[in-house]
Amino acid sequence: MGTSVPTAPDAAANLADVLPSCLVALGAADDAWLRSHGLEARIALRPARSAIVVLVDGLGAAALAARAGHARWLAAPPASGAARKLRSGFPTTTAAALSTLTTGRPPGSHGVVGYSGWNPDTGRVMNLLSGWDDEVPAGWFLGPTLFTEATGIGVDPVVVGPGRYRTSGMTANVLGGARYVSADSIADRVDAALVETLTGRSLVYLYVPELDSIGHKHGWQSDRWTAALELLDGELARLDRTLRPDVGVVVTADHGVLDVPDHANIPMDPALLEDVVGVAGDPRCRQLTVAPGTDVRSLVGRFRARYGKKAFVATRAEAIDAGWFGRVAPEVVERIGDVVLVARGSWAFNDDRALQPGETPKRMLGQHGAMTDEETFVPLRLASAFAG
């Protein structure tokens, strides 16, 4: 077809490195243990007794830099100068990114390849964020999590998050192996993390979903998003001041976010979807499964001709060869769409075929899922015992 697709860097530190690096810093894991588990720990952390990993859903490095005056603790550069950041991985969506964080492996290995994904056994698209209770079959998640591994090497894994997620199927799978502590406000979560690190050797995961929720509805450039960032920044500064000196803190995010204007929300051409039997993923990262016998390469060529520089379009094989999903296990290959459509710029691709005449489609303002720097790069703030 003549059109190349971008390759994903395979040597850069990313979300998969966070928990292994913490286990090394706690003295629970070493190079031999990492090699035996096929893990990387490319974030250099100072030794600590316990660690807190704060995951701020939807906080991109670019958005944080743009609002640095409202988040002076989060945006403060390390002693070495430039602010640090990580790559989140691909696709830049919560289900995939959190699974990468908790397993230390890319989506192609843990099997959660997007916000939603194709189940080749049932011939249906499943929601991989909220569908774990009734859609996702047992064994879909190719763990184990690093929380499960931590227990066996003398570390107490704890998740601190809103009570509404405590009994969810996603928590049971993606956060499996950790003890769940419910705390509904950001301040209460900080307090809970402080208690969990008073004694012993703990690995605490503290989840902050508020910015992502606000960003989807109002955009990251809204006053509401900025106010939530200010509140979070103040609470994390308090955490840093209050922690015992032998506890380290890592603050990062699962992905960034872009505000997508109305004109950039594109209804996909129905003629291009005639042979598509499953539309999965986010509007900024569509994975399309086609009917048997479809000429996939021809369809990719038609998508490229139709949308030009608005998107990267790849066959499944091209996406895998380019390293988009990292190492891909054989049982994961068919979960990835035959055609992968990744938005460039601020575009988003919607399937509006089910809309009634005159019906106004519901769109999110803040969106993510693709490969832009705004979505891919997330902050890496080290504090307390990990500072420096």
Side-chain angles (χ1 to χ4, degrees), residues 4-365:
S4 62
V5 298
T7 57
D10 59 5
N14 59 68
L15 285 179
D17 294 271
V18 173
L19 295 188
S21 298
C22 287
L23 292 174
V24 170
L26 300 187
D30 57 17
D31 288 343
W33 187 89
L34 293 170
R35 285 194 300 272
S36 71
H37 288 74
L39 300 170
E40 299 273 5
R42 291 170 288 194
I43 304 169
L45 300 174
R46 295 180 175 182
R49 172 180 56 82
S50 290
I52 299 172
V53 175
V54 182
L55 193 290
V56 186
D57 201 326
L59 179 62
L64 176 59
R67 295 292 182 267
H70 298 271
R72 295 186 179 182
W73 185 88
L74 269 168
S80 59
R84 300 183 67 176
K85 54 189 177 182
L86 287 177
R87 287 186 176 272
S88 67
F90 174 83
T92 48
T93 195
T94 298
L98 291 191
S99 300
T100 293
L101 177 81
T102 62
T103 62
R105 293 176 171 83
S109 295
H110 58 62
V112 182
V113 295
Y115 164 75
S116 59
W118 179 255
N119 184 338
D121 295 327
T122 64
R124 296 179 60 187
V125 172
M126 304 182 303
N127 188 305
L128 297 174
L129 188 65
S130 62
W132 292 86
D133 296 305
D134 53 8
E135 293 182 59
V136 183
W140 185 266
F141 187 63
L142 305 179
T145 71
L146 285 164
F147 298 133
T148 300
E149 300 284 4
T151 303
I153 52 177
V155 176
D156 181 23
V158 181
V159 169
V160 179
R164 63 185 181 274
Y165 300 137
R166 182 186 186 99
T167 60
S168 75
M170 185 177 186
T171 294
N173 285 271
V174 176
L175 304 179
R179 176 166 49 87
Y180 199 97
V181 176
S182 297
D184 287 332
S185 71
I186 294 175
D188 286 346
R189 274 170 251 152
V190 167
D191 289 341
L194 288 167
V195 170
E196 293 297 332
T197 54
L198 286 175
T199 61
R201 184 163 61 166
S202 301
L203 175 60
V204 177
Y205 165 76
L206 192 164
Y207 180 55
V208 180
E210 284 83 355
L211 270 73
D212 187 65
S213 298
I214 294 169
H216 281 310
K217 186 173 183 180
H218 302 285
W220 76 265
Q221 299 181 73
S222 67
D223 291 343
R224 293 190 185 192
W225 193 91
T226 301
L229 179 65
E230 288 180 341
L231 186 153
L232 172 65
D233 189 71
E235 288 300 324
L236 293 181
R238 178 172 69 88
L239 176 69
D240 188 23
R241 290 193 307 268
T242 311
L243 271 178
R244 296 194 173 187
D246 58 355
V247 180
V249 175
V250 177
V251 183
T252 189
D254 53 349
H255 56 74
V257 65
L258 282 174
D259 287 355
V260 177
D262 286 342
H263 76 271
N265 272 294
I266 300 173
M268 288 184 287
D269 185 346
L272 295 175
L273 300 177
E274 288 179 354
D275 296 320
V276 172
V277 296
V279 178
D282 296 276
R284 288 188 50 77
C285 180
R286 288 299 186 193
Q287 297 185 44
L288 310 176
T289 300
V290 301
T294 301
D295 187 337
V296 175
R297 294 181 65 82
S298 174
L299 181 59
V300 166
R302 291 166 60 200
F303 265 98
R304 288 174 176 170
R306 178 70 175 81
Y307 295 116
K309 294 183 178 180
K310 291 182 174 70
F312 296 114
V313 190
T315 65
R316 175 199 291 146
E318 287 174 330
I320 291 174
D321 289 345
W324 287 6
F325 297 92
R327 300 179 305 276
V328 179
E331 59 266 49
V332 176
V333 171
E334 291 188 3
R335 300 180 186 183
I336 298 170
D338 295 293
V339 177
V340 186
L341 174 69
V342 182
R344 302 171 71 178
S346 60
W347 302 99
F349 296 89
N350 301 276
D351 182 6
D352 287 350
R353 290 174 296 173
L355 290 178
Q356 299 300 313
E359 183 180 356
T360 301
K362 295 180 180 179
R363 313 286 199 212
M364 293 184 295
L365 178 53

